[in-house]
Amino acid sequence: MPSPLDRMAKLSDRDLVDRARQGDLEAFSQLVRRHQPRIHRLAIHMLRDHAEAEDVAQETFIRAYQALARFDGRSEPYTWFYRITINLSLNR
């Protein structure tokens, strides 16, 4: 029988966002695990500083979590994280 984490890993990003909006913290954690490596690489590419990139990657997911209710679903969640990362990096 698959564990709850295994079942969560099979959900789409949009399903995870929907669950996170309903208060499922594990769903948002799954989104972070799924996208953190790419977001971190993007921040490193933009900033050329590993410590700054870690801060930006972390801040990206904090901001996304705080704005879950405003995510309109017109783009994929990764695209949303990407845009937050770009904006935070440019502001640094």
Side-chain angles (χ1 to χ4, degrees), residues 29-81:
S29 293
Q30 179 65 33
L31 282 167
V32 172
R33 282 190 295 277
R34 193 174 283 180
H35 296 292
Q36 195 277 338
R38 287 173 68 197
I39 291 300
H40 187 249
R41 280 192 305 273
L42 172 63
I44 289 171
H45 176 75
M46 295 280 302
L47 298 166
R48 306 281 188 225
D49 181 298
H50 285 269
E52 285 286 318
E54 283 184 29
D55 290 348
V56 164
Q58 186 174 33
E59 184 68 20
T60 293
F61 292 108
I62 291 168
R63 297 242 179 136
Y65 184 78
Q66 292 170 337
L68 270 174
R70 294 193 310 271
F71 178 68
D72 60 16
R74 288 184 294 172
S75 64
E76 289 297 317
Y78 175 76
T79 306
W80 183 45
F81 300 148

Side-chain angles (χ1 to χ4, degrees), residues 9-29:
K10 293 177 181 171
L11 293 174
S12 74
D13 285 356
R14 288 176 188 262
D15 290 337
L16 290 170
V17 167
D18 289 343
R19 285 177 174 232
R21 280 185 172 150
Q22 296 169 12
D24 185 342
L25 293 176
E26 186 53 45
F28 193 79
S29 293

Side-chain angles (χ1 to χ4, degrees), residues 59-60 63-64 79-89:
E59 184 68 20
T60 293
R63 297 242 179 136
T79 306
W80 183 45
F81 300 148
Y82 179 95
R83 190 73 244 164
I84 294 170
T85 305
I86 294 291
N87 290 340
L88 288 171
S89 295

